[in-house]
Amino acid sequence: MSFSLQRKILLPLLLVTLIALSSGVLLRSFIIRDFKAFAEGRSIDRLYQVLAVLEGRFAEQNRWQAPVLANDLIWAHQMGFEIRLYDHQGQLLITTDQALSGLPPLMRKRISASTEGRPEAAPDDYHPYPLFLQGQEIGLLEVRIPRPIKEELFIRSSNLFLLYSTAGMGLLAVLLSVLLARRLSRPLQRLTTAAEGIASGDLGQRVPLNTNDEIGRLATAFNTMADSLEGHERLRKQLVSNAAHELRTPLMVIRGELEGMLDGVLPSSPEALQSLHQETGRLTAILDGVDELSRAEASFLSLQREEVQLKLLCEGIATRFGRLAEDKQARIVVACPDGLTVWADPDRLSQILINLLTNALKALPDQGRVELRATETDQTAVIELSDNGHGISPELLPHIFERFYKGAQGGLGLGLAIVRELVAAHNGTIEVDSEPGRGTTFILRLPKRHKE
């Protein structure tokens, strides 16, 4: 049997409420027990006072005197006792009723009013207490204690108060538990609904929560994840669309030429076959570029990082491009301090610099200049690649890292997109600063050392 999240939250809250109410009832039973013990102890203390007073009366007179005893029995009656006093021979001397009957009517009325409403005890509910003086029995006191009306009123009113308060507080606790369970489960239900929407393909699902607690942070992380998924899906569709567009042109050329050959319109000459070969080479280049971009996007999973000496790396790349630079009568200058290292995959870092250097050489005029500089901060190595070529217009700068974006130099439009992905895989950043007619500078920042 499965329960919803709201029920799973509600049941512990109701259990805590039940335990709290039960503890209140249990605490009340302990209080009433102690209260009854206190009342009983106080009654016994008063009874011993009565016994001591009566024994004192006998000691003063050396005998029992009814007029004096009457006052003591009236006093005992006001303390809650009904008394029958016998002498040592068992003769009844006086009772509470007899003592009261000897009072004036007004005083008897006042005393009756002070004890009015006191429940009567059973007729045979008298308890004997012997009276002694110097070790000799001088009489017998039979005492009946009526039920204590004040204590019973207190217990009855406390029972009613406990009943009403338990019912009221229990109902309030149940209501608050239901509201709290709904409040806690509603954001999670929204997250579940949004997650199910994303699983079904609706990447526009978001959770509108602005709280600063754990659920709010979970919602923020979920929305960030959804944004990332939506962005990746948009890029995937764009990549597929751009790739299809780029592939369509050479395929149409190949198809048209092949159909012409089959129909006899075009001859199967070496020149025609060479054209087909060029178009297939173009298809291969596009597919290789897409494959390289895919590997660059997933390169963070396969980077083989190590401490790379930047000066050796930059000088090696400059040497490899020396012949191409000579053909354009251009110069490649390397300015890098000795000992500067960067925490990177040497192959991937070489790929980044080669792509940037290739674009720079394409943008150079004859007798141009490319400068490869490296500096450092406390945590970062900064690599700058500058050229004095034709530059990039301001309206094109925001798009140069996009897939299949082709600048003035043509090409597939994947080189800088690959560079950006590889730099991101190294936890680095890349910026570009360009001015038309004066040249372009790419600024690459990478971490210097491994973070444990």
Side-chain angles (χ1 to χ4, degrees), residues 236-248:
R236 183 190 68 81
K237 291 180 179 179
Q238 180 183 353
L239 176 61
V240 172
S241 176
N242 293 338
H245 175 74
E246 292 293 329
L247 292 171
R248 186 177 293 112

Side-chain angles (χ1 to χ4, degrees), residues 53-64 133-134 138:
V53 168
L54 293 177
E55 289 172 346
R57 298 296 183 207
F58 185 87
E60 290 176 356
Q61 305 295 330
N62 203 25
R63 59 190 180 93
W64 298 111
L133 181 63
Q134 296 180 354
I138 59 175

Side-chain angles (χ1 to χ4, degrees), residues 310-338:
L310 275 182
K311 186 173 183 179
L312 294 178
L313 181 69
C314 292
E315 289 178 346
I317 293 174
T319 301
R320 290 167 58 183
F321 279 82
R323 181 64 178 271
L324 182 59
E326 289 177 1
D327 293 341
K328 298 195 68 171
Q329 298 180 354
R331 295 176 57 205
I332 301 176
V333 179
V334 176
C336 181
D338 294 330

Side-chain angles (χ1 to χ4, degrees), residues 11 13 59 63 68 77 85 97-98 211 245 272 287 341 365 442:
L11 289 177
L13 293 176
R63 59 190 180 93
V68 178
H77 177 68
L85 181 61
D97 291 337
Q98 293 174 350
T211 59
H245 175 74
L287 293 175
T341 62
F442 285 90

Side-chain angles (χ1 to χ4, degrees), residues 116-136:
E116 187 177 359
R118 179 180 294 169
E120 293 292 336
D124 56 348
D125 197 18
Y126 279 91
H127 300 279
Y129 292 91
L131 299 175
F132 294 92
L133 181 63
Q134 296 180 354
Q136 294 183 354

Side-chain angles (χ1 to χ4, degrees), residues 81-130:
F81 302 110
E82 292 186 6
I83 295 176
R84 292 189 301 209
L85 181 61
Y86 298 87
D87 62 12
H88 67 281
Q89 295 179 353
Q91 297 293 324
L92 180 63
L93 298 176
I94 191 171
T95 65
T96 299
D97 291 337
Q98 293 174 350
L100 292 173
S101 63
L103 294 174
L106 181 59
M107 185 175 293
R108 189 167 57 250
K109 183 177 180 181
R110 289 179 177 175
I111 293 177
S112 298
S114 65
T115 58
E116 187 177 359
R118 179 180 294 169
E120 293 292 336
D124 56 348
D125 197 18
Y126 279 91
H127 300 279
Y129 292 91

